[in-house]
Amino acid sequence: MKRLCALWCAAVVLAGLVTTVGTSPAHAATQAPGTGTGYWHATGSQLVDSTGAPVRMTGINWFGLETANYTFHGLWSRNYKDMVDQMAGLGYNTIRVPFSNQLFDPGSTPNSIDYNKNPDLQGLSGLQIMDKVIAYAGQKSMRVILDQHRPDSGSQSPLWYTSAYPESRWLSDWRMLAQRYKGNPTVIGADLHNEPHSIQGGTGACWGCGDTSRDWRLAAERGGNAILSANPGLLIIVEGFDCVSGTGSPECGWWGGNLSGAARYPVQLSEPDKLVYSAHEYATSVYHQTWFDDPSYPVNMPGLWDHFFGYLKKQNIAPVLLGEFGTTLQSTIDQTWLRELLKYMGTGPAGMNFTYWSWNPNSGDTGGILNDDWTTVNTVKQAYLSPYLIPPVRFSAADNGKDARLRFDDIAMAASR
C-alpha cells in the first residue's frame, strides 16, 4: 500500500512540475523569466529583474550554517552538488541560507561532513563552504537569500544582536557579505534577522516604539542601508514582528510573522525599490494558534493573512516573501492550512514570493521535503507545492519566447529519488 501511494504521489508531483514549467511558447512566456536576468528590484509589490520582467522566488530553506555544525546539514550523507541538483530538478528556484554571526569566528570549524562524498570541501571554512554552494546554485540558475538566523549558533535571539555579538558586529558582518558577493546576482537578497520578537515583561524587540536599542524597524533601516552602501544590487528583506498594538485584532502572530506595523511605521531605505517585507507562517505542528479553532476555519484565514502581511501586496506597497512556512502534515487542520495558504499566495510570477521550511528532514516540528534518509522526497508535501513552483531557468532576449521548460526525464529522475 505504501509503495502504491508513493508511486501515485510521484506521478502527481511530476504532473504538477510539468504544468508549472509549461509545454508551449505561450505558456513559457507567462512563466518567464524564471529567475530572470541580473539583480532584482521592486515595482510596487512586484519583483522584476534587470530588464523589467516579472520574477518570483519559489524556494526552499536549507539550514545548518547557523548551527554548531557550521555547514549545511545533510553533507554527512550526500554531496552538496547532488542536493542542489535535486532542488533545482524539483522546481525550487531560490535557496534561503540561514547562518549565524558565530560562523565567521576563527574557531568555528565545519564538522559532520563526509569528505569522501564532498572532497572539495576538505579544509574549508564555513564561509568558504557557503561560497561553494552559492557558486553551484548559480550554475543551476538558482538565486540565494542569505539569512542572519541568529547571532550565535546556540539559539534564536529576539534582537538582532547580543552582548557577545553587538550591533556593530551585525553590521560589519553584513557589510562583509555584501562586498564578498558584490557583482554576483546569484545572491539576490539579505534577510536581515530571523524572527525578531518581544519578551513578556516588555523587553526584547519592538516595531515602531522609537527605542533604537529595540525598534526592529529602525534597526532594519540601519542594516539595510549599510548593505546597500556596499552592494546596491541586493534586495533588503525585513521580517515582521510578533505583537503589534493598535493595528487591529489579532495583535499577536508568529515570531517574524506580523507586518501590520509597517502600515504606520514603514521601513524607509536609501533605495526604496530594494525593500522586501517577509513574514513567517506555520500550522499546528508548530503551535496550535486560536485561529485554527475558529468555527469558520479555513474561511477565516485569508482575512488573517491580509491583516498580518497580505495587505502589503494587495495595496501594491511592497513585495512580500513568505520566508518560512511548513508542517508535518499529520493533522487535517494542517493539510487544509497548506492547501489554502498556497492558493492564497497564487501562481505564476505575480504570486507571493516564498521559501518553504524546509529542505532538511531534521526540522523537529515540520520535517522536510526530504525524508529521513536525506535522499528520497516526501512526495505528499512536494505534491502540494509543485503547482506553485517556477523552476530555475534564466531567460534572456535571445530566448525570444522559446519554451524553456525542464526536460521531463530530468524532473522524473529528481522526483523519484
Side-chain angles (χ1 to χ4, degrees), residues 10 13-14 53 69 86 135 178 212 217 223 260 310 328 359 372 411 413 416:
V13 171
L14 292 173
N69 296 116
Q86 191 176 20
T212 55
R217 189 259 316 201
S260 61
T328 60
W359 180 248
D372 288 342
I411 299 171
M413 184 178 297
S416 64

Side-chain angles (χ1 to χ4, degrees), residues 153-214:
S153 62
S155 61
Q156 301 302 114
S157 169
L159 297 167
W160 53 100
Y161 65 91
T162 62
S163 58
Y165 295 89
E167 179 174 308
S168 58
R169 173 67 184 272
W170 177 68
L171 291 171
S172 64
D173 283 348
W174 269 125
R175 288 192 196 96
M176 175 272 293
L177 290 169
Q179 292 166 350
R180 188 179 188 88
Y181 299 114
K182 185 176 183 179
N184 179 4
T186 296
V187 180
I188 201 64
D191 192 336
L192 298 179
H193 178 60
N194 184 69
E195 298 183 350
H197 58 276
S198 57
I199 298 176
Q200 192 170 9
T203 59
C206 64
W207 187 292
C209 69
D211 182 343
T212 55
S213 67
R214 298 180 52 228

Side-chain angles (χ1 to χ4, degrees), residues 85-417:
D85 284 341
Q86 191 176 20
M87 293 178 201
L90 288 169
Y92 298 99
N93 66 26
T94 303
I95 308 172
R96 181 173 178 258
V97 176
F99 67 88
S100 68
N101 297 95
Q102 190 173 353
L103 174 72
F104 310 124
D105 289 350
S108 299
T109 303
N111 58 84
S112 302
I113 299 173
D114 185 336
Y115 290 112
N116 290 322
K117 293 181 173 68
N118 295 278
D120 57 335
L121 303 185
Q122 182 82 48
L124 299 187
S125 67
L127 180 57
Q128 290 169 327
I129 291 173
M130 182 189 289
D131 291 341
K132 285 280 194 177
V133 170
I134 288 170
Y136 192 67
Q139 291 180 37
K140 306 302 292 184
S141 298
M142 300 179 81
R143 302 299 185 130
V144 172
I145 297 168
L146 300 179
D147 155 45
Q148 192 261 21
H149 212 68
R150 52 181 70 155
D152 62 61
S153 62
S155 61
Q156 301 302 114
S157 169
L159 297 167
W160 53 100
Y161 65 91
T162 62
S163 58
Y165 295 89
E167 179 174 308
S168 58
R169 173 67 184 272
W170 177 68
L171 291 171
S172 64
D173 283 348
W174 269 125
R175 288 192 196 96
M176 175 272 293
L177 290 169
Q179 292 166 350
R180 188 179 188 88
Y181 299 114
K182 185 176 183 179
N184 179 4
T186 296
V187 180
I188 201 64
D191 192 336
L192 298 179
H193 178 60
N194 184 69
E195 298 183 350
H197 58 276
S198 57
I199 298 176
Q200 192 170 9
T203 59
C206 64
W207 187 292
C209 69
D211 182 343
T212 55
S213 67
R214 298 180 52 228
D215 193 328
W216 168 233
R217 189 259 316 201
L218 296 178
E221 292 176 355
R222 294 192 297 274
N225 287 335
I227 290 168
L228 290 171
S229 69
N231 184 347
L234 289 174
L235 297 173
I236 304 301
I237 300 170
V238 181
E239 295 190 24
F241 196 54
D242 57 344
C243 297
V244 181
S245 61
T247 60
S249 180
E251 289 188 349
C252 295
W254 300 103
W255 285 359
N258 185 349
L259 284 159
S260 61
R264 183 178 179 186
Y265 299 107
V267 173
Q268 297 178 315
L269 297 176
S270 58
E271 301 291 338
D273 65 353
K274 289 296 184 175
L275 174 63
V276 175
Y277 286 108
S278 179
H280 292 183
E281 171 69 14
Y282 282 102
T284 64
S285 68
V286 175
Y287 181 75
H288 196 110
Q289 301 275 17
T290 56
W291 45 78
F292 295 118
D293 296 321
D294 189 304
S296 67
Y297 180 81
V299 175
N300 62 315
M301 297 305 289
L304 183 79
W305 296 326
D306 284 348
H307 166 68
F308 281 144
F309 53 84
Y311 77 94
L312 292 161
K313 178 171 177 56
K314 289 188 173 182
Q315 296 177 25
N316 204 35
I317 295 170
V320 175
L321 164 69
L322 205 62
E324 292 184 18
F325 65 107
T327 169
T328 60
L329 283 181
Q330 296 303 302
S331 163
T332 55
I333 292 175
D334 287 27
Q335 294 163 17
T336 300
W337 166 85
L338 183 56
R339 183 182 66 247
E340 295 301 317
L341 179 60
L342 288 164
K343 186 190 304 181
Y344 176 83
M345 289 192 287
T347 59
M352 190 176 290
N353 301 280
F354 68 79
T355 48
Y356 185 78
W357 187 275
S358 60
W359 180 248
N360 308 46
N362 59 328
S363 177
D365 47 12
T366 65
I369 290 299
L370 291 185
N371 291 317
D372 288 342
D373 61 5
W374 281 95
T375 300
T376 58
V377 172
N378 183 320
T379 52
V380 176
K381 286 184 180 179
Q382 182 66 18
Y384 277 86
L385 291 161
S386 63
Y388 298 88
L389 299 176
I390 299 176
V393 178
R394 284 198 182 140
F395 285 66
S396 66
D399 289 307
N400 194 27
K402 290 185 296 184
D403 182 5
R405 67 188 181 98
L406 297 177
R407 291 192 302 125
F408 183 88
D409 54 346
D410 291 340
I411 299 171
M413 184 178 297
S416 64
R417 279 172 149 165

